[in-house]
Amino acid sequence: MNRLNLALLLAMALAFAASLLAGRVWLPPSALLDALQQRDTLAALIVNDIRLPRTVLALIVGAVLGFSGAVLQGFTRNPLAEPALLGVSGGAALGAVIAIYFGLNLGLSALSPVIGPLMGMVGATAACALTFALGQGWKGGGTVALVLAGAAVSSLAAAGIALALNFAPNPYAAYEIMSWLLGSLADKNWTQVLLVIPFVVAGGALLAVTGRALDALALGETQAQSLGVNLARLAALVVAGTALSVGAVTSVVGAIGFIGLVAPHLARPLVGHQPSRVLLPAALAGAVLLLCADIAARLVHTNPELRLGVFTSLLGTPFFFWLVVRIRKVAP
């Protein structure tokens, strides 16, 4: 396992460096070293103001999605679970869309980098709170009730987004909403990176303490309770941690699908099926996957640039189909 983590850290470092070099304007390694030394050059502008915040954000988003996906798969004991399962992505998207719809991002230019993400996090938190209230309110439902509640909240958020698109005040507003929903790391800055870090750290800390409880839950809810696991507390930690971390990154970069589904499945065959052993490798694998996907999306020369959310969906959908077929074959 330690070797796997070291290998993933090395792959992440290589992908991080490649992300700083790759783009429509390729930079030689020597120019990258000059730029990182804060020299007043064009390469320094490209690296420090454009590519470095984008790359750091890709690393954070990928790690958050992979980590939360592993936690959710362990908590629900569902191999198809991902952060969108609890309505977090939909709630964050709805919050950011509301900000765009009412002109908060466009009318208050000084606050525009902040208002959209904050509204997204409010939406994610509200969606998770509603999911938790519904799921825990159904007696005897357990994790199944939580999954069904998440699907209902996601549908509600999707309806709200469709309503905003239907009543968009002008074509530009509709275009802004659609562009954001497609997901992208382009044009991100340090303000947005610094904005999400506190929420990611807080949410990640809540998710990190669930490892031992998830191991017990793998034996079943009754067995977990007999081992002293408080299922209500565990659900609260999972929901709150997912809302803070995934809600924060989704509200900034838009909807990025399938990373939270794929990363745990890439790590699990190498570390075993004990949920706590999957968490760190899944986070590292998610970071590597999203960094590589972002590099590939930049190298596909289209006008406008291919959106990262579209690219990850194109790559993740075949994996999803394969996973469904595999589950059907092994199911009793």
Side-chain angles (χ1 to χ4, degrees):
M1 183 175 178
N2 290 331
R3 291 182 179 180
L4 174 63
N5 292 335
L6 289 176
L8 288 172
L9 283 171
L10 178 60
M12 186 173 66
L14 293 174
F16 192 96
S19 180
L20 297 179
L21 297 174
R24 293 184 182 271
V25 177
W26 280 79
L27 297 176
S30 59
L32 177 60
L33 293 176
D34 290 342
L36 294 177
Q37 294 173 7
Q38 300 294 326
R39 297 186 180 181
D40 189 15
T41 62
L42 178 60
L45 176 65
I46 294 174
V47 171
N48 297 323
D49 294 341
I50 299 175
R51 291 186 184 171
L52 191 55
R54 177 173 183 162
T55 302
V56 171
L57 197 56
L59 188 151
I60 293 173
V61 173
V64 164
L65 293 177
F67 189 57
S68 59
V71 170
L72 289 174
Q73 289 177 14
F75 177 66
T76 62
R77 287 163 291 160
N78 183 347
L80 301 181
E82 61 166 333
L85 183 73
L86 297 181
V88 180
S89 299
L94 180 59
V97 165
I98 289 174
I100 297 172
Y101 180 82
F102 287 104
L104 295 177
N105 273 353
L106 303 177
L108 301 175
S109 57
L111 299 177
S112 59
V114 177
I115 291 179
L118 287 178
M119 287 291 293
M121 282 181 276
V122 169
T125 304
C128 258
L130 182 57
T131 299
F132 181 77
L134 290 174
Q136 296 301 309
W138 296 339
K139 295 182 179 180
T143 56
V144 175
L146 202 63
V147 171
L148 292 175
V153 172
S154 295
S155 299
L156 179 63
I161 293 170
L163 191 65
L165 282 170
N166 188 84
F167 292 106
N170 54 66
Y172 181 73
Y175 175 78
E176 284 292 308
I177 293 172
M178 285 303 303
S179 297
W180 186 89
L181 289 174
L182 294 177
S184 176
L185 290 166
D187 303 322
K188 305 305 178 185
N189 54 52
W190 287 112
T191 300
Q192 292 163 316
V193 174
L194 295 175
L195 178 66
V196 303
I197 286 177
F199 297 94
V200 167
V201 171
L206 294 176
L207 294 177
V209 300
T210 63
R212 300 184 70 176
L214 293 177
D215 291 344
L217 187 61
L219 303 174
E221 293 184 7
T222 302
Q223 290 79 359
Q225 287 178 317
S226 68
L227 292 173
V229 175
N230 186 327
L231 295 181
R233 177 179 177 273
L234 176 61
L237 288 173
V238 171
V239 170
T242 305
L244 286 172
S245 57
V246 179
V249 298
T250 302
S251 63
V252 170
V253 303
I256 306 293
F258 291 100
I259 298 296
L261 173 68
V262 175
H265 283 280
L266 294 180
R268 192 170 289 113
L270 302 175
V271 299
H273 292 269
Q274 184 177 342
S276 63
R277 295 173 61 90
V278 181
L279 301 185
L280 180 57
L284 297 175
V288 173
L289 283 174
L290 198 60
L291 283 168
C292 293
D294 186 46
I295 294 170
R298 276 183 272 168
L299 296 181
V300 177
H301 295 298
T302 58
N303 191 21
E305 179 181 301
L306 180 63
R307 298 287 177 172
L308 183 59
V310 177
F311 192 79
T312 56
S313 295
L314 290 174
L315 295 179
T317 301
F319 178 86
F320 188 80
F321 284 138
W322 171 83
L323 187 60
V324 171
V325 172
R326 180 175 174 273
I327 290 174
R328 288 182 59 187
K329 288 183 178 179
V330 301

